[in-house]
Amino acid sequence: MTTASSADHPTRRDFLFVATGAAAAVGGAAALWPFISQMNPDASTIAAGAPIDVDLSPIAEGQDIKVFWRGKPIYISHRTKKQIDEARAVNVASLPDPQTDEARVKAGHEQWLVVIGICTHLGCIPIAHEGNYDGFFCPCHGSQYDSSGRIRQGPAPANLPVPPYQFVSDTKIQIG
Ligand code: FES
């Protein structure tokens, strides 16, 4: 008897390919983003998985930063009006994972998008400000997310998840 197809059961070789791609994406992205070390909590706080506070005030419009929460990359995008307008002009019913932009951001803080930066296909790290939708591009297999982090094209089945967070002031969020 032959064994089952590997399509449904990723092989070790598949895993290594994905892991390498993710590392490359992180390395490339890290060079582009400002290093805002004071925003990150100390290592023991991260390890404990505690909520983290992030000061948004240094993030210019059109800029993205990445922080880590519970070992996951979190992208925080200070969206331009153009990006917000594009996200809201989409026919939601046409999306693979239908969700309004309003449901993915906080009312009164529409300029801020906060998403977990892990591709919903096989877990690579998408690159911000890349791709056809003014959002995120995953280099591993070509998934494209829009400026709301919603999947628009490629094999990923779902939108980039929004982590639990809240605004504790106009310029500070708490993630977790
Ligand atoms: S991991 Fe396959 S497209 Fe992102």
Side-chain angles (χ1 to χ4, degrees):
M1 293 289 286
T2 56
T3 57
S5 159
S6 66
D8 296 325
H9 305 283
T11 63
R12 176 169 169 76
R13 192 177 57 188
D14 291 333
F15 171 77
L16 290 173
F17 169 76
V18 170
T20 304
V26 169
L32 297 175
W33 278 301
F35 182 60
I36 307 180
S37 61
Q38 73 273 18
M39 290 184 169
N40 292 321
D42 63 37
S44 61
T45 303
I46 294 171
I52 59 170
D53 289 344
V54 181
D55 181 7
L56 305 178
S57 54
I59 310 170
E61 189 176 288
Q63 191 177 45
D64 306 86
I65 67 159
K66 182 169 59 180
V67 298
F68 284 89
W69 171 69
R70 293 190 177 174
K72 297 175 182 163
I74 307 290
Y75 288 157
I76 302 171
S77 298
H78 189 171
R79 303 190 298 176
T80 62
K81 182 175 186 309
K82 177 171 173 284
Q83 286 179 302
I84 299 168
D85 289 347
E86 285 171 352
R88 299 193 167 192
V90 173
N91 174 8
V92 173
S94 71
L95 296 173
D97 182 11
Q99 211 176 13
T100 63
D101 182 65
E102 286 84 345
R104 295 177 53 79
V105 298
K106 304 292 188 192
H109 301 281
E110 291 80 7
Q111 70 272 44
W112 296 106
L113 177 74
V114 182
V115 293
I116 298 175
I118 298 176
C119 183
T120 60
H121 182 220
L122 291 176
C124 287
I125 311 294
I127 302 169
H129 278 289
E130 290 277 336
N132 298 335
Y133 301 95
D134 216 357
F136 305 84
F137 171 70
C138 181
C140 289
H141 312 96
S143 286
Q144 307 218 24
Y145 300 86
D146 65 14
S147 55
S148 192
R150 296 172 299 196
I151 183 64
R152 299 290 295 275
Q153 193 178 322
N159 303 332
L160 295 177
V162 176
Y165 76 95
Q166 59 180 329
F167 277 83
V168 294
S169 76
D170 264 357
T171 57
K172 186 179 281 188
I173 59 171
Q174 183 173 73
I175 302 173

PDB file of all heavy atoms in Angstrom, residues 95-98 118-123 143-145 149-160:
ATOM      1  N   LEU A  95     -15.209  39.016   0.493  1.00  0.00           N
ATOM      2  CA  LEU A  95     -13.972  38.615   1.161  1.00  0.00           C
ATOM      3  C   LEU A  95     -13.990  37.122   1.522  1.00  0.00           C
ATOM      4  O   LEU A  95     -15.038  36.584   1.895  1.00  0.00           O
ATOM      5  CB  LEU A  95     -13.787  39.436   2.448  1.00  0.00           C
ATOM      6  CG  LEU A  95     -13.601  40.942   2.262  1.00  0.00           C
ATOM      7  CD1 LEU A  95     -13.613  41.644   3.615  1.00  0.00           C
ATOM      8  CD2 LEU A  95     -12.317  41.248   1.519  1.00  0.00           C
ATOM      9  N   PRO A  96     -12.827  36.473   1.467  1.00  0.00           N
ATOM     10  CA  PRO A  96     -12.754  35.053   1.872  1.00  0.00           C
ATOM     11  C   PRO A  96     -13.141  34.843   3.335  1.00  0.00           C
ATOM     12  O   PRO A  96     -13.704  33.811   3.700  1.00  0.00           O
ATOM     13  CB  PRO A  96     -11.275  34.701   1.649  1.00  0.00           C
ATOM     14  CG  PRO A  96     -10.763  35.718   0.691  1.00  0.00           C
ATOM     15  CD  PRO A  96     -11.539  36.971   0.947  1.00  0.00           C
ATOM     16  N   ASP A  97     -12.842  35.814   4.177  1.00  0.00           N
ATOM     17  CA  ASP A  97     -13.161  35.735   5.610  1.00  0.00           C
ATOM     18  C   ASP A  97     -13.867  37.050   5.959  1.00  0.00           C
ATOM     19  O   ASP A  97     -13.252  37.977   6.478  1.00  0.00           O
ATOM     20  CB  ASP A  97     -11.859  35.562   6.405  1.00  0.00           C
ATOM     21  CG  ASP A  97     -12.103  35.426   7.907  1.00  0.00           C
ATOM     22  OD1 ASP A  97     -13.263  35.247   8.325  1.00  0.00           O
ATOM     23  OD2 ASP A  97     -11.109  35.489   8.655  1.00  0.00           O
ATOM     24  N   PRO A  98     -15.166  37.134   5.642  1.00  0.00           N
ATOM     25  CA  PRO A  98     -15.861  38.435   5.698  1.00  0.00           C
ATOM     26  C   PRO A  98     -15.856  39.059   7.097  1.00  0.00           C
ATOM     27  O   PRO A  98     -16.279  38.436   8.066  1.00  0.00           O
ATOM     28  CB  PRO A  98     -17.298  38.083   5.271  1.00  0.00           C
ATOM     29  CG  PRO A  98     -17.170  36.806   4.518  1.00  0.00           C
ATOM     30  CD  PRO A  98     -16.044  36.058   5.176  1.00  0.00           C
ATOM     31  N   ILE A 118       1.115  36.694  12.160  1.00  0.00           N
ATOM     32  CA  ILE A 118       1.416  35.303  11.801  1.00  0.00           C
ATOM     33  C   ILE A 118       0.436  34.889  10.715  1.00  0.00           C
ATOM     34  O   ILE A 118      -0.786  34.910  10.921  1.00  0.00           O
ATOM     35  CB  ILE A 118       1.280  34.369  13.025  1.00  0.00           C
ATOM     36  CG1 ILE A 118       2.278  34.772  14.117  1.00  0.00           C
ATOM     37  CG2 ILE A 118       1.510  32.908  12.606  1.00  0.00           C
ATOM     38  CD1 ILE A 118       2.149  33.965  15.401  1.00  0.00           C
ATOM     39  N   CYS A 119       0.983  34.547   9.560  1.00  0.00           N
ATOM     40  CA  CYS A 119       0.133  34.189   8.421  1.00  0.00           C
ATOM     41  C   CYS A 119      -0.757  33.004   8.786  1.00  0.00           C
ATOM     42  O   CYS A 119      -0.298  32.018   9.380  1.00  0.00           O
ATOM     43  CB  CYS A 119       1.001  33.842   7.222  1.00  0.00           C
ATOM     44  SG  CYS A 119       0.068  33.466   5.736  1.00  0.00           S
ATOM     45  N   THR A 120      -2.024  33.096   8.402  1.00  0.00           N
ATOM     46  CA  THR A 120      -2.980  32.043   8.755  1.00  0.00           C
ATOM     47  C   THR A 120      -2.891  30.839   7.819  1.00  0.00           C
ATOM     48  O   THR A 120      -3.667  29.898   7.962  1.00  0.00           O
ATOM     49  CB  THR A 120      -4.415  32.590   8.773  1.00  0.00           C
ATOM     50  OG1 THR A 120      -4.742  33.103   7.471  1.00  0.00           O
ATOM     51  CG2 THR A 120      -4.567  33.687   9.808  1.00  0.00           C
ATOM     52  N   HIS A 121      -1.942  30.877   6.884  1.00  0.00           N
ATOM     53  CA  HIS A 121      -1.719  29.696   6.040  1.00  0.00           C
ATOM     54  C   HIS A 121      -0.860  28.703   6.806  1.00  0.00           C
ATOM     55  O   HIS A 121      -1.370  27.791   7.433  1.00  0.00           O
ATOM     56  CB  HIS A 121      -1.070  30.103   4.706  1.00  0.00           C
ATOM     57  CG  HIS A 121      -0.850  28.951   3.781  1.00  0.00           C
ATOM     58  ND1 HIS A 121       0.292  28.823   3.024  1.00  0.00           N
ATOM     59  CD2 HIS A 121      -1.624  27.872   3.506  1.00  0.00           C
ATOM     60  CE1 HIS A 121       0.206  27.705   2.308  1.00  0.00           C
ATOM     61  NE2 HIS A 121      -0.941  27.121   2.582  1.00  0.00           N
ATOM     62  N   LEU A 122       0.456  28.909   6.848  1.00  0.00           N
ATOM     63  CA  LEU A 122       1.336  27.975   7.545  1.00  0.00           C
ATOM     64  C   LEU A 122       2.250  28.677   8.548  1.00  0.00           C
ATOM     65  O   LEU A 122       3.267  28.129   8.946  1.00  0.00           O
ATOM     66  CB  LEU A 122       2.162  27.169   6.540  1.00  0.00           C
ATOM     67  CG  LEU A 122       1.375  26.173   5.690  1.00  0.00           C
ATOM     68  CD1 LEU A 122       2.287  25.501   4.669  1.00  0.00           C
ATOM     69  CD2 LEU A 122       0.686  25.121   6.560  1.00  0.00           C
ATOM     70  N   GLY A 123       1.888  29.895   8.914  1.00  0.00           N
ATOM     71  CA  GLY A 123       2.558  30.502  10.052  1.00  0.00           C
ATOM     72  C   GLY A 123       3.773  31.356   9.780  1.00  0.00           C
ATOM     73  O   GLY A 123       4.516  31.681  10.712  1.00  0.00           O
ATOM     74  N   SER A 143       0.406  34.932   0.149  1.00  0.00           N
ATOM     75  CA  SER A 143      -0.861  35.471   0.650  1.00  0.00           C
ATOM     76  C   SER A 143      -0.760  36.992   0.813  1.00  0.00           C
ATOM     77  O   SER A 143       0.277  37.517   1.219  1.00  0.00           O
ATOM     78  CB  SER A 143      -1.221  34.831   1.999  1.00  0.00           C
ATOM     79  OG  SER A 143      -1.650  33.506   1.799  1.00  0.00           O
ATOM     80  N   GLN A 144      -1.862  37.660   0.494  1.00  0.00           N
ATOM     81  CA  GLN A 144      -1.888  39.114   0.578  1.00  0.00           C
ATOM     82  C   GLN A 144      -3.038  39.544   1.475  1.00  0.00           C
ATOM     83  O   GLN A 144      -4.171  39.099   1.310  1.00  0.00           O
ATOM     84  CB  GLN A 144      -2.086  39.696  -0.821  1.00  0.00           C
ATOM     85  CG  GLN A 144      -1.076  39.175  -1.819  1.00  0.00           C
ATOM     86  CD  GLN A 144      -0.626  40.243  -2.784  1.00  0.00           C
ATOM     87  OE1 GLN A 144      -0.692  41.436  -2.502  1.00  0.00           O
ATOM     88  NE2 GLN A 144      -0.132  39.822  -3.932  1.00  0.00           N
ATOM     89  N   TYR A 145      -2.731  40.424   2.399  1.00  0.00           N
ATOM     90  CA  TYR A 145      -3.713  40.944   3.341  1.00  0.00           C
ATOM     91  C   TYR A 145      -3.864  42.446   3.098  1.00  0.00           C
ATOM     92  O   TYR A 145      -2.908  43.117   2.714  1.00  0.00           O
ATOM     93  CB  TYR A 145      -3.241  40.714   4.777  1.00  0.00           C
ATOM     94  CG  TYR A 145      -3.027  39.259   5.144  1.00  0.00           C
ATOM     95  CD1 TYR A 145      -1.813  38.631   4.879  1.00  0.00           C
ATOM     96  CD2 TYR A 145      -4.028  38.522   5.765  1.00  0.00           C
ATOM     97  CE1 TYR A 145      -1.605  37.300   5.228  1.00  0.00           C
ATOM     98  CE2 TYR A 145      -3.830  37.190   6.121  1.00  0.00           C
ATOM     99  CZ  TYR A 145      -2.611  36.584   5.848  1.00  0.00           C
ATOM    100  OH  TYR A 145      -2.406  35.275   6.194  1.00  0.00           O
ATOM    101  N   GLY A 149      -5.803  43.997   7.525  1.00  0.00           N
ATOM    102  CA  GLY A 149      -5.276  42.677   7.881  1.00  0.00           C
ATOM    103  C   GLY A 149      -6.177  41.540   7.430  1.00  0.00           C
ATOM    104  O   GLY A 149      -6.033  40.411   7.913  1.00  0.00           O
ATOM    105  N   ARG A 150      -7.056  41.816   6.498  1.00  0.00           N
ATOM    106  CA  ARG A 150      -7.959  40.762   6.002  1.00  0.00           C
ATOM    107  C   ARG A 150      -7.341  40.068   4.789  1.00  0.00           C
ATOM    108  O   ARG A 150      -6.772  40.724   3.915  1.00  0.00           O
ATOM    109  CB  ARG A 150      -9.320  41.358   5.616  1.00  0.00           C
ATOM    110  CG  ARG A 150     -10.065  41.960   6.785  1.00  0.00           C
ATOM    111  CD  ARG A 150     -11.302  42.705   6.344  1.00  0.00           C
ATOM    112  NE  ARG A 150     -10.975  43.817   5.445  1.00  0.00           N
ATOM    113  CZ  ARG A 150     -11.804  44.798   5.147  1.00  0.00           C
ATOM    114  NH1 ARG A 150     -13.029  44.800   5.651  1.00  0.00           N
ATOM    115  NH2 ARG A 150     -11.449  45.770   4.331  1.00  0.00           N
ATOM    116  N   ILE A 151      -7.522  38.765   4.731  1.00  0.00           N
ATOM    117  CA  ILE A 151      -6.964  38.016   3.600  1.00  0.00           C
ATOM    118  C   ILE A 151      -7.716  38.395   2.332  1.00  0.00           C
ATOM    119  O   ILE A 151      -8.950  38.440   2.310  1.00  0.00           O
ATOM    120  CB  ILE A 151      -7.015  36.488   3.852  1.00  0.00           C
ATOM    121  CG1 ILE A 151      -6.353  35.738   2.695  1.00  0.00           C
ATOM    122  CG2 ILE A 151      -8.439  35.978   4.094  1.00  0.00           C
ATOM    123  CD1 ILE A 151      -4.876  36.019   2.528  1.00  0.00           C
ATOM    124  N   ARG A 152      -6.942  38.697   1.294  1.00  0.00           N
ATOM    125  CA  ARG A 152      -7.549  39.117   0.024  1.00  0.00           C
ATOM    126  C   ARG A 152      -7.153  38.210  -1.131  1.00  0.00           C
ATOM    127  O   ARG A 152      -7.860  38.120  -2.130  1.00  0.00           O
ATOM    128  CB  ARG A 152      -7.125  40.565  -0.291  1.00  0.00           C
ATOM    129  CG  ARG A 152      -7.569  41.576   0.758  1.00  0.00           C
ATOM    130  CD  ARG A 152      -9.074  41.787   0.740  1.00  0.00           C
ATOM    131  NE  ARG A 152      -9.497  42.385  -0.503  1.00  0.00           N
ATOM    132  CZ  ARG A 152      -9.482  43.704  -0.745  1.00  0.00           C
ATOM    133  NH1 ARG A 152      -9.081  44.540   0.189  1.00  0.00           N
ATOM    134  NH2 ARG A 152      -9.890  44.179  -1.909  1.00  0.00           N
ATOM    135  N   GLN A 153      -6.005  37.550  -1.017  1.00  0.00           N
ATOM    136  CA  GLN A 153      -5.486  36.776  -2.148  1.00  0.00           C
ATOM    137  C   GLN A 153      -4.474  35.776  -1.625  1.00  0.00           C
ATOM    138  O   GLN A 153      -3.752  36.083  -0.662  1.00  0.00           O
ATOM    139  CB  GLN A 153      -4.799  37.761  -3.104  1.00  0.00           C
ATOM    140  CG  GLN A 153      -4.465  37.222  -4.469  1.00  0.00           C
ATOM    141  CD  GLN A 153      -3.834  38.330  -5.324  1.00  0.00           C
ATOM    142  OE1 GLN A 153      -4.228  39.482  -5.265  1.00  0.00           O
ATOM    143  NE2 GLN A 153      -2.840  37.959  -6.093  1.00  0.00           N
ATOM    144  N   GLY A 154      -4.429  34.590  -2.236  1.00  0.00           N
ATOM    145  CA  GLY A 154      -3.449  33.594  -1.830  1.00  0.00           C
ATOM    146  C   GLY A 154      -4.073  32.509  -0.970  1.00  0.00           C
ATOM    147  O   GLY A 154      -5.279  32.506  -0.729  1.00  0.00           O
ATOM    148  N   PRO A 155      -3.225  31.572  -0.493  1.00  0.00           N
ATOM    149  CA  PRO A 155      -3.755  30.371   0.147  1.00  0.00           C
ATOM    150  C   PRO A 155      -4.231  30.544   1.590  1.00  0.00           C
ATOM    151  O   PRO A 155      -4.870  29.649   2.130  1.00  0.00           O
ATOM    152  CB  PRO A 155      -2.557  29.416   0.113  1.00  0.00           C
ATOM    153  CG  PRO A 155      -1.359  30.314   0.118  1.00  0.00           C
ATOM    154  CD  PRO A 155      -1.770  31.533  -0.675  1.00  0.00           C
ATOM    155  N   ALA A 156      -3.891  31.623   2.242  1.00  0.00           N
ATOM    156  CA  ALA A 156      -4.296  31.767   3.651  1.00  0.00           C
ATOM    157  C   ALA A 156      -5.825  31.782   3.748  1.00  0.00           C
ATOM    158  O   ALA A 156      -6.498  32.455   2.960  1.00  0.00           O
ATOM    159  CB  ALA A 156      -3.713  33.036   4.248  1.00  0.00           C
ATOM    160  N   PRO A 157      -6.385  31.047   4.703  1.00  0.00           N
ATOM    161  CA  PRO A 157      -7.844  30.913   4.783  1.00  0.00           C
ATOM    162  C   PRO A 157      -8.534  31.992   5.609  1.00  0.00           C
ATOM    163  O   PRO A 157      -9.753  32.149   5.524  1.00  0.00           O
ATOM    164  CB  PRO A 157      -8.014  29.548   5.463  1.00  0.00           C
ATOM    165  CG  PRO A 157      -6.802  29.437   6.349  1.00  0.00           C
ATOM    166  CD  PRO A 157      -5.678  30.142   5.612  1.00  0.00           C
ATOM    167  N   ALA A 158      -7.777  32.723   6.430  1.00  0.00           N
ATOM    168  CA  ALA A 158      -8.431  33.619   7.387  1.00  0.00           C
ATOM    169  C   ALA A 158      -7.648  34.917   7.548  1.00  0.00           C
ATOM    170  O   ALA A 158      -6.470  35.012   7.180  1.00  0.00           O
ATOM    171  CB  ALA A 158      -8.559  32.921   8.747  1.00  0.00           C
ATOM    172  N   ASN A 159      -8.324  35.908   8.110  1.00  0.00           N
ATOM    173  CA  ASN A 159      -7.705  37.210   8.364  1.00  0.00           C
ATOM    174  C   ASN A 159      -6.628  37.091   9.438  1.00  0.00           C
ATOM    175  O   ASN A 159      -6.658  36.174  10.265  1.00  0.00           O
ATOM    176  CB  ASN A 159      -8.775  38.187   8.837  1.00  0.00           C
ATOM    177  CG  ASN A 159      -9.913  38.330   7.834  1.00  0.00           C
ATOM    178  OD1 ASN A 159      -9.709  38.143   6.636  1.00  0.00           O
ATOM    179  ND2 ASN A 159     -11.098  38.638   8.325  1.00  0.00           N
ATOM    180  N   LEU A 160      -5.697  38.047   9.463  1.00  0.00           N
ATOM    181  CA  LEU A 160      -4.750  38.103  10.570  1.00  0.00           C
ATOM    182  C   LEU A 160      -5.554  38.361  11.847  1.00  0.00           C
ATOM    183  O   LEU A 160      -6.378  39.282  11.892  1.00  0.00           O
ATOM    184  CB  LEU A 160      -3.724  39.230  10.351  1.00  0.00           C
ATOM    185  CG  LEU A 160      -2.785  39.067   9.156  1.00  0.00           C
ATOM    186  CD1 LEU A 160      -1.877  40.301   9.034  1.00  0.00           C
ATOM    187  CD2 LEU A 160      -1.952  37.792   9.261  1.00  0.00           C
TER     188      LEU A 160
END
